[in-house]
Amino acid sequence: MKRRAFLALSTALAAAPTLAGPATAATNTTTTTTTRAGRLDVAALRRAVSGLPDDDATAALVRVGGTAGTWHGAGGVHDLASGRAADPHARFRAGSTTKVVTAATVLRLAAARRVDLDAPVQHYLPRLFRGTDFHRPISVRQLLNHTSGIRFADGWGDAFTDQYAHRFDVVAPAEAAASAVAKGPEFAPGARQEYLNINYTLLGLLIERLTGQAYADAATRLVLRPAGMRDTYFPGTDPTIHGPHNHGYQLVDGAFVDVTEWVQADRLAAGDMISTTADLERLLVALFRGRIVPARQLKEMFTVPAGIDGATMSAGLQRIELGGRTYWGKTGSRYGYSAALAATRNLSRTLVYSVNATDAKGEEMNPVAERIVMAAVGSA
Protein backbone atom coordinates (compact mmCIF):
# COMPACT_ATOMS: atom_id res chain seq x y z
CA MET A 1 0.00 0.00 0.00
CA LYS A 2 2.80 2.43 0.94
CA ARG A 3 4.70 1.58 -2.21
CA ARG A 4 1.66 2.29 -4.43
CA ALA A 5 1.14 5.58 -2.61
CA PHE A 6 4.77 6.58 -3.11
CA LEU A 7 4.72 5.73 -6.80
CA ALA A 8 1.43 7.55 -7.40
CA LEU A 9 2.61 10.65 -5.59
CA SER A 10 6.02 10.61 -7.28
CA THR A 11 4.37 10.50 -10.70
CA ALA A 12 2.09 13.42 -9.79
CA LEU A 13 4.99 15.47 -8.41
CA ALA A 14 7.03 14.94 -11.55
CA ALA A 15 4.23 16.33 -13.71
CA ALA A 16 3.06 19.04 -11.31
CA PRO A 17 3.77 22.72 -12.03
CA THR A 18 5.96 24.52 -9.51
CA LEU A 19 5.92 28.13 -8.33
CA ALA A 20 9.29 29.65 -7.51
CA GLY A 21 7.99 32.06 -4.91
CA PRO A 22 4.91 33.26 -3.04
CA ALA A 23 3.36 34.47 -6.32
CA THR A 24 4.30 35.00 -9.97
CA ALA A 25 3.51 38.17 -11.82
CA ALA A 26 2.43 36.22 -14.90
CA THR A 27 -0.41 34.48 -13.05
CA ASN A 28 -1.28 37.02 -10.36
CA THR A 29 -4.84 37.95 -11.35
CA THR A 30 -7.65 39.62 -9.47
CA THR A 31 -11.17 40.31 -10.72
CA THR A 32 -13.76 42.07 -8.62
CA THR A 33 -17.35 43.16 -8.88
CA THR A 34 -18.69 45.74 -6.46
CA THR A 35 -22.41 46.20 -5.95
CA ARG A 36 -23.94 48.57 -3.39
CA ALA A 37 -20.74 48.87 -1.38
CA GLY A 38 -22.32 50.73 1.55
CA ARG A 39 -20.06 50.49 4.61
CA LEU A 40 -18.12 47.51 3.29
CA ASP A 41 -14.33 47.86 3.30
CA VAL A 42 -13.98 47.05 -0.37
CA ALA A 43 -10.26 47.80 -0.39
CA ALA A 44 -9.66 45.21 2.35
CA LEU A 45 -11.75 42.64 0.50
CA ARG A 46 -9.80 43.22 -2.69
CA ARG A 47 -6.51 42.87 -0.84
CA ALA A 48 -7.74 39.62 0.70
CA VAL A 49 -7.98 37.91 -2.70
CA SER A 50 -5.01 39.60 -4.37
CA GLY A 51 -1.52 38.21 -4.83
CA LEU A 52 -2.70 34.75 -5.82
CA PRO A 53 -1.46 32.17 -6.55
CA ASP A 54 0.94 31.79 -3.64
CA ASP A 55 2.01 28.98 -1.34
CA ASP A 56 -1.31 29.16 0.56
CA ALA A 57 -3.87 29.19 -2.26
CA THR A 58 -4.20 29.29 -6.02
CA ALA A 59 -7.61 31.00 -6.22
CA ALA A 60 -10.33 32.53 -4.06
CA LEU A 61 -14.00 33.37 -4.64
CA VAL A 62 -15.92 35.63 -2.24
CA ARG A 63 -19.47 36.92 -1.80
CA VAL A 64 -20.39 39.34 1.00
CA GLY A 65 -23.94 40.57 1.51
CA GLY A 66 -26.32 42.17 3.98
CA THR A 67 -27.65 45.55 4.98
CA ALA A 68 -24.23 47.25 4.77
CA GLY A 69 -23.80 46.37 1.11
CA THR A 70 -22.77 43.56 -1.21
CA TRP A 71 -19.48 42.64 -2.84
CA HIS A 72 -18.40 39.82 -5.11
CA GLY A 73 -14.77 39.15 -5.89
CA ALA A 74 -12.34 36.59 -7.22
CA GLY A 75 -8.58 36.27 -7.35
CA GLY A 76 -5.97 33.83 -8.56
CA VAL A 77 -5.93 31.43 -11.46
CA HIS A 78 -8.07 28.77 -13.05
CA ASP A 79 -5.09 26.42 -13.14
CA LEU A 80 -1.34 26.75 -12.70
CA ALA A 81 -0.46 25.41 -16.14
CA SER A 82 -2.36 28.04 -18.14
CA GLY A 83 -2.27 30.87 -15.59
CA ARG A 84 -5.54 32.26 -16.86
CA ALA A 85 -7.78 34.13 -14.44
CA ALA A 86 -9.91 32.20 -11.98
CA ASP A 87 -13.54 31.77 -12.99
CA PRO A 88 -15.59 33.81 -10.46
CA HIS A 89 -18.64 31.59 -11.08
CA ALA A 90 -16.76 28.31 -10.71
CA ARG A 91 -18.09 25.20 -9.05
CA PHE A 92 -16.02 23.68 -6.25
CA ARG A 93 -16.02 20.88 -3.71
CA ALA A 94 -18.00 22.37 -0.82
CA GLY A 95 -16.89 19.86 1.83
CA SER A 96 -18.75 19.86 5.11
CA THR A 97 -21.05 22.72 4.15
CA THR A 98 -22.99 19.72 2.81
CA LYS A 99 -24.07 19.15 6.42
CA VAL A 100 -26.25 22.27 6.28
CA VAL A 101 -28.24 20.68 3.45
CA THR A 102 -28.42 17.32 5.23
CA ALA A 103 -29.65 18.91 8.47
CA ALA A 104 -32.25 20.95 6.59
CA THR A 105 -33.46 17.80 4.83
CA VAL A 106 -33.90 15.95 8.14
CA LEU A 107 -35.68 18.94 9.69
CA ARG A 108 -38.08 19.13 6.75
CA LEU A 109 -38.88 15.46 7.30
CA ALA A 110 -39.41 16.21 10.99
CA ALA A 111 -41.81 19.02 10.07
CA ALA A 112 -43.72 16.53 7.90
CA ARG A 113 -43.80 14.11 10.87
CA ARG A 114 -41.76 11.55 8.98
CA VAL A 115 -39.18 11.43 11.77
CA ASP A 116 -39.14 12.23 15.49
CA LEU A 117 -35.96 14.05 16.53
CA ASP A 118 -36.23 12.57 20.02
CA ALA A 119 -36.61 9.01 18.78
CA PRO A 120 -33.57 6.70 18.76
CA VAL A 121 -31.85 6.23 15.44
CA GLN A 122 -31.75 2.52 16.35
CA HIS A 123 -35.51 2.54 15.76
CA TYR A 124 -35.09 3.75 12.18
CA LEU A 125 -31.91 1.82 11.29
CA PRO A 126 -32.22 -1.37 13.38
CA ARG A 127 -30.09 -3.60 11.13
CA LEU A 128 -27.12 -1.22 11.39
CA PHE A 129 -27.04 -1.47 15.19
CA ARG A 130 -27.98 -5.12 15.56
CA GLY A 131 -25.34 -7.07 17.48
CA THR A 132 -23.35 -3.96 18.47
CA ASP A 133 -22.57 -2.47 21.88
CA PHE A 134 -24.92 0.49 21.40
CA HIS A 135 -27.39 -0.33 24.14
CA ARG A 136 -28.27 3.25 25.03
CA PRO A 137 -30.59 5.07 22.62
CA ILE A 138 -29.06 7.70 20.33
CA SER A 139 -31.61 10.30 19.31
CA VAL A 140 -31.76 11.74 15.81
CA ARG A 141 -31.13 15.14 17.40
CA GLN A 142 -27.87 13.83 18.88
CA LEU A 143 -26.70 12.88 15.41
CA LEU A 144 -27.57 16.37 14.20
CA ASN A 145 -25.60 18.14 16.94
CA HIS A 146 -22.68 15.67 17.16
CA THR A 147 -23.38 14.34 20.66
CA SER A 148 -24.07 10.74 19.61
CA GLY A 149 -20.89 9.11 20.96
CA ILE A 150 -20.33 7.17 17.72
CA ARG A 151 -16.67 6.75 16.78
CA PHE A 152 -15.16 7.81 13.47
CA ALA A 153 -15.13 5.38 10.57
CA ASP A 154 -12.00 3.62 9.38
CA GLY A 155 -10.28 5.27 6.45
CA TRP A 156 -6.99 5.31 4.57
CA GLY A 157 -5.09 7.11 7.33
CA ASP A 158 -4.30 10.78 7.85
CA ALA A 159 -1.26 11.07 5.56
CA PHE A 160 -1.87 12.81 2.23
CA THR A 161 0.14 10.16 0.38
CA ASP A 162 -2.21 7.42 1.57
CA GLN A 163 -5.32 9.46 0.86
CA TYR A 164 -4.06 10.40 -2.61
CA ALA A 165 -3.27 6.80 -3.52
CA HIS A 166 -6.89 5.83 -2.76
CA ARG A 167 -8.57 8.93 -4.19
CA PHE A 168 -10.58 6.91 -6.72
CA ASP A 169 -11.54 4.08 -4.37
CA VAL A 170 -15.25 3.82 -3.59
CA VAL A 171 -16.53 3.12 -0.08
CA ALA A 172 -20.32 3.02 0.30
CA PRO A 173 -21.86 5.13 3.09
CA ALA A 174 -23.44 2.00 4.61
CA GLU A 175 -20.02 0.33 4.75
CA ALA A 176 -18.48 3.36 6.49
CA ALA A 177 -21.37 3.46 8.97
CA ALA A 178 -21.07 -0.24 9.76
CA SER A 179 -17.34 0.15 10.34
CA ALA A 180 -17.90 2.97 12.83
CA VAL A 181 -20.79 1.37 14.70
CA ALA A 182 -18.88 -1.92 15.05
CA LYS A 183 -16.34 -0.11 17.25
CA GLY A 184 -18.96 0.58 19.91
CA PRO A 185 -19.62 3.94 21.62
CA GLU A 186 -16.83 6.33 22.55
CA PHE A 187 -18.98 8.08 25.17
CA ALA A 188 -22.55 8.03 26.41
CA PRO A 189 -24.97 9.80 24.07
CA GLY A 190 -25.35 13.44 25.10
CA ALA A 191 -22.31 13.42 27.42
CA ARG A 192 -20.17 15.61 25.18
CA GLN A 193 -19.91 17.05 21.71
CA GLU A 194 -17.45 15.67 19.19
CA TYR A 195 -17.67 16.81 15.59
CA LEU A 196 -17.47 13.79 13.27
CA ASN A 197 -18.54 13.14 9.69
CA ILE A 198 -19.98 9.76 10.65
CA ASN A 199 -22.97 11.39 12.37
CA TYR A 200 -24.06 12.84 9.04
CA THR A 201 -23.24 9.68 7.13
CA LEU A 202 -25.85 8.00 9.35
CA LEU A 203 -28.28 10.87 8.74
CA GLY A 204 -27.88 10.28 5.01
CA LEU A 205 -28.84 6.65 5.50
CA LEU A 206 -31.77 7.78 7.64
CA ILE A 207 -32.98 10.11 4.89
CA GLU A 208 -32.87 7.27 2.39
CA ARG A 209 -34.77 4.99 4.78
CA LEU A 210 -37.49 7.58 5.40
CA THR A 211 -37.98 8.78 1.84
CA GLY A 212 -37.27 5.65 -0.17
CA GLN A 213 -35.04 7.81 -2.37
CA ALA A 214 -31.31 8.12 -2.85
CA TYR A 215 -29.89 10.80 -0.57
CA ALA A 216 -28.99 13.04 -3.51
CA ASP A 217 -32.53 12.91 -4.88
CA ALA A 218 -34.18 13.61 -1.53
CA ALA A 219 -31.84 16.48 -0.65
CA THR A 220 -32.27 18.01 -4.10
CA ARG A 221 -36.06 17.81 -3.88
CA LEU A 222 -36.39 19.07 -0.31
CA VAL A 223 -33.60 21.66 -0.13
CA LEU A 224 -31.64 22.45 -3.30
CA ARG A 225 -34.62 23.16 -5.54
CA PRO A 226 -36.61 25.20 -2.99
CA ALA A 227 -33.46 27.27 -2.31
CA GLY A 228 -32.89 27.88 -6.03
CA MET A 229 -29.49 26.14 -6.01
CA ARG A 230 -29.26 25.47 -9.73
CA ASP A 231 -25.52 24.76 -9.91
CA THR A 232 -25.23 22.41 -6.93
CA TYR A 233 -25.14 18.62 -7.12
CA PHE A 234 -23.76 15.50 -5.45
CA PRO A 235 -21.06 13.74 -7.50
CA GLY A 236 -21.29 10.31 -5.87
CA THR A 237 -18.70 8.05 -7.49
CA ASP A 238 -17.87 10.51 -10.30
CA PRO A 239 -14.39 11.99 -9.63
CA THR A 240 -14.81 15.01 -11.90
CA ILE A 241 -16.33 18.44 -11.29
CA HIS A 242 -18.77 19.10 -14.11
CA GLY A 243 -19.16 22.61 -15.45
CA PRO A 244 -16.78 25.55 -14.94
CA HIS A 245 -14.36 25.02 -12.08
CA ASN A 246 -10.91 26.09 -10.90
CA HIS A 247 -8.32 23.41 -10.21
CA GLY A 248 -7.42 22.43 -6.67
CA TYR A 249 -3.86 21.69 -5.54
CA GLN A 250 -2.03 20.29 -2.53
CA LEU A 251 1.44 21.65 -1.84
CA VAL A 252 3.82 18.74 -1.17
CA ASP A 253 7.56 19.25 -0.74
CA GLY A 254 7.52 22.46 -2.77
CA ALA A 255 5.47 21.09 -5.67
CA PHE A 256 1.77 21.47 -6.43
CA VAL A 257 -0.16 18.24 -6.87
CA ASP A 258 -3.42 18.59 -8.81
CA VAL A 259 -6.17 17.10 -6.62
CA THR A 260 -9.18 18.33 -8.59
CA GLU A 261 -10.42 14.81 -9.34
CA TRP A 262 -11.33 12.78 -6.27
CA VAL A 263 -14.00 10.37 -5.03
CA GLN A 264 -15.34 10.43 -1.48
CA ALA A 265 -18.68 8.72 -1.82
CA ASP A 266 -18.66 7.46 1.78
CA ARG A 267 -19.13 11.07 2.95
CA LEU A 268 -22.04 11.74 0.60
CA ALA A 269 -24.30 13.41 3.20
CA ALA A 270 -21.42 14.70 5.30
CA GLY A 271 -19.19 16.47 2.81
CA ASP A 272 -19.47 15.50 -0.85
CA MET A 273 -21.45 18.36 -2.41
CA ILE A 274 -20.30 20.45 -5.36
CA SER A 275 -21.62 24.01 -5.35
CA THR A 276 -20.92 27.68 -6.12
CA THR A 277 -20.63 30.75 -3.91
CA ALA A 278 -23.86 32.12 -5.40
CA ASP A 279 -25.74 28.91 -4.56
CA LEU A 280 -24.40 28.76 -1.00
CA GLU A 281 -25.49 32.37 -0.55
CA ARG A 282 -28.97 31.43 -1.81
CA LEU A 283 -29.04 28.58 0.72
CA LEU A 284 -28.13 30.91 3.58
CA VAL A 285 -30.78 33.48 2.73
CA ALA A 286 -33.57 30.99 2.00
CA LEU A 287 -32.80 28.94 5.10
CA PHE A 288 -32.47 31.82 7.56
CA ARG A 289 -35.68 33.42 6.25
CA GLY A 290 -37.62 30.24 6.90
CA ARG A 291 -38.28 29.40 3.25
CA ILE A 292 -36.86 25.86 3.53
CA VAL A 293 -37.50 24.69 7.09
CA PRO A 294 -40.57 25.77 9.14
CA ALA A 295 -39.89 28.05 12.12
CA ARG A 296 -40.42 25.39 14.78
CA GLN A 297 -37.84 23.03 13.31
CA LEU A 298 -35.55 25.84 12.19
CA LYS A 299 -34.84 26.63 15.85
CA GLU A 300 -32.78 23.43 15.95
CA MET A 301 -30.25 25.07 13.64
CA PHE A 302 -29.75 27.93 16.10
CA THR A 303 -29.71 25.89 19.30
CA VAL A 304 -26.47 24.56 20.78
CA PRO A 305 -27.00 21.69 23.27
CA ALA A 306 -27.05 22.99 26.83
CA GLY A 307 -24.90 21.66 29.65
CA ILE A 308 -22.00 20.52 27.46
CA ASP A 309 -18.71 22.36 27.97
CA GLY A 310 -17.33 23.86 24.79
CA ALA A 311 -20.33 22.97 22.62
CA THR A 312 -20.70 25.21 19.57
CA MET A 313 -22.41 22.93 17.02
CA SER A 314 -26.15 22.96 16.42
CA ALA A 315 -28.09 21.03 13.79
CA GLY A 316 -25.95 21.61 10.71
CA LEU A 317 -24.42 24.90 11.83
CA GLN A 318 -21.86 26.27 14.25
CA ARG A 319 -22.11 29.32 16.49
CA ILE A 320 -19.20 31.68 15.80
CA GLU A 321 -18.36 34.87 17.69
CA LEU A 322 -16.65 37.40 15.42
CA GLY A 323 -16.22 41.16 15.72
CA GLY A 324 -18.66 41.40 18.60
CA ARG A 325 -21.40 39.63 16.63
CA THR A 326 -22.78 36.13 16.65
CA TYR A 327 -22.63 34.34 13.32
CA TRP A 328 -24.04 30.96 12.40
CA GLY A 329 -22.19 29.10 9.72
CA LYS A 330 -20.28 26.08 8.50
CA THR A 331 -16.88 25.47 7.04
CA GLY A 332 -15.86 22.62 4.79
CA SER A 333 -12.66 21.33 3.30
CA ARG A 334 -11.54 18.80 0.75
CA TYR A 335 -8.02 18.54 -0.63
CA GLY A 336 -7.57 21.58 -2.86
CA TYR A 337 -10.72 23.33 -1.67
CA SER A 338 -11.77 25.16 1.48
CA ALA A 339 -15.24 26.67 1.71
CA ALA A 340 -17.43 28.44 4.24
CA LEU A 341 -20.82 30.07 4.64
CA ALA A 342 -21.87 32.25 7.58
CA ALA A 343 -24.39 34.91 8.50
CA THR A 344 -25.89 36.77 11.40
CA ARG A 345 -29.29 35.43 12.34
CA ASN A 346 -31.04 38.48 10.85
CA LEU A 347 -28.89 38.32 7.67
CA SER A 348 -27.44 41.79 8.32
CA ARG A 349 -24.14 40.31 7.16
CA THR A 350 -23.56 37.21 5.04
CA LEU A 351 -20.29 35.71 3.88
CA VAL A 352 -19.53 32.86 1.50
CA TYR A 353 -16.10 31.95 0.19
CA SER A 354 -14.25 29.21 -1.60
CA VAL A 355 -10.47 29.19 -1.34
CA ASN A 356 -8.41 26.80 -3.43
CA ALA A 357 -6.22 26.11 -0.42
CA THR A 358 -2.99 24.18 -0.86
CA ASP A 359 -3.33 22.67 2.60
CA ALA A 360 -7.09 22.46 3.02
CA LYS A 361 -6.78 19.74 5.66
CA GLY A 362 -4.27 21.64 7.78
CA GLU A 363 -4.99 22.28 11.46
CA GLU A 364 -4.56 26.05 11.15
CA MET A 365 -6.95 28.30 9.26
CA ASN A 366 -5.75 29.07 5.75
CA PRO A 367 -4.18 32.57 5.67
CA VAL A 368 -6.16 33.62 2.59
CA ALA A 369 -9.43 32.49 4.20
CA GLU A 370 -8.45 34.33 7.36
CA ARG A 371 -7.87 37.55 5.40
CA ILE A 372 -11.26 37.19 3.76
CA VAL A 373 -13.06 36.69 7.06
CA MET A 374 -11.31 39.61 8.75
CA ALA A 375 -12.05 41.92 5.80
CA ALA A 376 -15.71 40.94 5.71
CA VAL A 377 -16.33 41.01 9.46
CA GLY A 378 -14.18 44.04 10.18
CA SER A 379 -16.49 46.25 8.15
CA ALA A 380 -19.68 44.84 9.66
Side-chain angles (χ1 to χ4, degrees):
M1 183 180 297
K2 290 183 179 180
R3 178 175 174 79
R4 290 204 309 271
F6 176 79
L7 291 174
L9 183 57
S10 297
T11 301
L13 288 173
T18 303
L19 296 184
T24 58
T27 57
N28 183 6
T29 306
T30 302
T31 59
T32 59
T33 301
T34 305
T35 307
R36 197 167 59 84
R39 297 189 304 277
L40 290 179
D41 189 342
V42 172
L45 288 166
R46 285 175 174 163
R47 287 194 300 269
V49 298
S50 67
L52 302 179
D54 62 14
D55 283 350
D56 298 314
T58 57
L61 315 177
V62 183
R63 299 180 73 89
V64 182
T67 56
T70 61
W71 184 85
H72 309 157
V77 296
H78 167 269
D79 66 279
L80 293 176
S82 72
R84 73 176 190 265
D87 187 334
H89 307 294
R91 293 175 176 176
F92 51 83
R93 299 194 185 279
S96 286
T97 63
T98 308
K99 292 181 177 68
V100 181
V101 172
T102 300
T105 303
V106 172
L107 294 175
R108 285 208 63 178
L109 293 171
R113 298 187 178 183
R114 302 284 299 278
V115 63
D116 182 350
L117 300 184
D118 293 314
V121 67
Q122 292 96 322
H123 169 75
Y124 297 104
L125 301 172
R127 294 180 61 183
L128 179 63
F129 289 90
R130 189 172 298 150
T132 71
D133 292 331
F134 283 90
H135 306 302
R136 295 185 180 184
I138 300 169
S139 72
V140 174
R141 180 179 285 105
Q142 287 168 336
L143 289 176
L144 286 165
N145 62 29
H146 299 281
T147 60
S148 69
I150 298 175
R151 299 175 186 267
F152 63 88
D154 291 326
W156 308 121
D158 295 328
F160 171 74
T161 52
D162 292 334
Q163 295 279 344
Y164 186 81
H166 293 280
R167 68 193 184 279
F168 298 132
D169 291 3
V170 175
V171 178
E175 182 180 348
S179 170
V181 170
K183 296 179 178 181
E186 183 174 358
F187 55 85
R192 69 176 193 254
Q193 187 174 76
E194 183 175 5
Y195 176 80
L196 290 175
N197 285 318
I198 195 62
N199 291 304
Y200 277 68
T201 298
L202 263 69
L203 288 172
L205 297 176
L206 174 66
I207 289 168
E208 293 185 338
R209 173 71 177 82
L210 295 172
T211 64
Q213 291 184 295
Y215 165 82
D217 294 335
T220 299
R221 174 173 59 87
L222 294 172
V223 178
L224 302 191
R225 286 177 186 165
M229 300 170 72
R230 298 180 296 273
D231 293 311
T232 300
Y233 72 98
F234 303 95
T237 59
D238 187 344
T240 61
I241 301 176
H242 294 282
H245 61 277
N246 302 316
H247 285 233
Y249 298 87
Q250 176 78 3
L251 183 60
V252 182
D253 296 332
F256 291 80
V257 180
D258 193 318
V259 292
T260 307
E261 294 193 349
W262 205 290
V263 173
Q264 204 153 30
D266 60 310
R267 297 184 181 179
L268 175 61
D272 199 33
M273 182 171 72
I274 289 174
S275 191
T276 65
T277 54
D279 268 8
L280 291 184
E281 186 178 64
R282 291 185 183 100
L283 175 63
L284 267 178
V285 173
L287 191 59
F288 282 38
R289 287 182 176 171
R291 296 175 182 169
I292 308 298
V293 178
R296 180 180 175 185
Q297 286 73 30
L298 187 59
K299 290 180 181 178
E300 299 286 340
M301 304 194 82
F302 303 101
T303 303
V304 173
I308 299 179
D309 291 341
T312 61
M313 308 300 301
S314 63
L317 296 174
Q318 182 174 18
R319 186 179 61 204
I320 309 164
E321 304 296 335
L322 287 172
R325 289 187 176 191
T326 298
Y327 289 80
W328 295 89
K330 189 72 192 72
T331 58
S333 64
R334 294 281 303 272
Y335 283 116
Y337 301 90
S338 181
L341 53 81
T344 55
R345 179 65 185 88
N346 63 359
L347 294 172
S348 60
R349 175 56 49 90
T350 64
L351 168 64
V352 176
Y353 69 73
S354 170
V355 173
N356 290 65
T358 59
D359 188 17
K361 291 294 186 178
E363 294 183 2
E364 301 296 326
M365 185 174 185
N366 180 272
V368 177
E370 186 173 3
R371 292 201 303 266
I372 292 168
V373 172
M374 291 301 101
V377 173
S379 58

